[in-house]
Each structure stands twice: as C-alpha cells, then as structure tokens.
Amino acid sequence: MRRNMVNGAVGGAIATGVYSAVLMAGKRAGLLDHPPPKKVMRILLPGSRHRPKPGENAFATIAHFAYGSSAGAVLASLFRGQQVPLPIGAAYGLALWYAGFQHWTPRIGALPPVSHDDPRRQALLALGHVVYGVSLALSMNMLSARKGPAARISPAEGYEYQRSKFLTPQPQPAR
C-alpha cells in the first residue's frame, strides 16, 4: 500500500509539471493573468490580496506540487496498484477541476466559480486538468509496472521476445 501511495505521489508531481506547462502556454496565449496557484497564495498569505507578496511564487509552486502529489496519492489508494485506465484519469482530472474551481477557490475568493468566470480561462483550466489526469494515470501505470528501485532497460526475466508483425516484415510464402 505504501509503495502505491508513493507511486501516486510521484505520478502526481509529474502530472503537475505537465499541467503547469499547460498553464504557462495559457498565460502566453493571454488566457490567464496569473496562474491559479499564485492567486490562491496571494489570498492565503498575510497582506493585501491585490499586491505581490514576498515568496508567493515559491509558496505557490510548493503548494501546487503538494496538492498534485496528494491528489495522485488519493487516486493510487483507490486503485491499490492496479493499472488506471486513461479515461478514469481524465475523469479524475475533471473532478479535481470542478471541485477546485466551482467550490473551494471561489469560497476563499481566489477566482469566481466556473459558471461566472471567463469561459476561455475555464476551458484552459479544464483541459489542463484532463491533461493532468491522463498524465497521472500514465505515470502511475509506468511506476507500478516497475519491480525494482530502477526501471528495467532489458526485458524482464522470463520475457519471450516476439517479433512485431506490424513493425517487422514477415517472411512471405514462396509462390
């Protein structure tokens, strides 16, 4: 169980990095003024919510990765080392988006609820969370497939090599 939770937390950190790349692209495209983790930190740290605060970028990054890792650990505990289907990962990401942006970020005053926000921003955030969920499932599946402290480069013991009929030409019968 502990290994599954660690795999989920590591997968969550990897997926948070991928999601962060989506946020950066959205910021460059003009869909975000400040990423949501920064807005949350600006609300939670002491001082004016309208002015930058010392350390807010570092705190936002740490909190974002902690949240993503925790969400990964929760999914891992639900699947107990089993492979996570990619559509389940995508749905999990969307559930996190909805819970966060319809409920808890509006309650603390960081962002308006989904139904009252800029649809372009929410589309970006929803897409980012789908990407997070799929990345999380992929990461967890890859991590749970490992049997030792490091990924195997060579085939596992007992593995029989089979030539792919799609990638390797097959001998044709003589005519």
Side-chain angles (χ1 to χ4, degrees), residues 1-141:
M1 177 81 163
R2 187 201 282 152
R3 181 183 179 128
N4 295 336
M5 299 284 282
V6 170
N7 285 346
V10 170
I14 292 167
T16 300
V18 176
Y19 171 71
S20 296
V22 173
L23 290 183
M24 285 189 273
K27 185 171 169 69
R28 286 190 178 193
L31 299 174
L32 292 174
D33 52 350
H34 294 292
K38 189 173 188 175
K39 287 188 171 225
V40 168
M41 275 304 116
R42 207 167 265 183
I43 296 293
L44 296 178
L45 291 172
S48 171
R49 68 174 51 198
H50 304 291
R51 294 179 178 223
K53 298 174 183 173
E56 73 180 18
N57 289 334
F59 285 124
T61 300
I62 292 166
H64 194 220
F65 277 87
Y67 184 80
S69 292
S70 298
V74 168
L75 186 63
S77 71
L78 296 173
F79 276 83
R80 299 182 183 157
Q82 300 297 316
Q83 296 286 295
V84 179
L86 298 185
I88 296 296
Y92 185 69
L94 277 176
L96 291 173
W97 163 74
Y98 187 78
F101 292 102
Q102 184 63 28
H103 297 291
W104 76 263
T105 55
R107 286 199 178 141
I108 65 169
L111 289 168
V114 171
S115 53
H116 294 92
D117 197 11
D118 179 353
R120 296 174 309 143
R121 174 172 44 197
Q122 288 303 325
L124 172 72
L125 296 172
L127 171 66
H129 278 81
V130 168
V131 169
Y132 167 87
V134 170
S135 299
L136 174 61
L138 286 169
S139 299
M140 286 174 47
N141 292 345

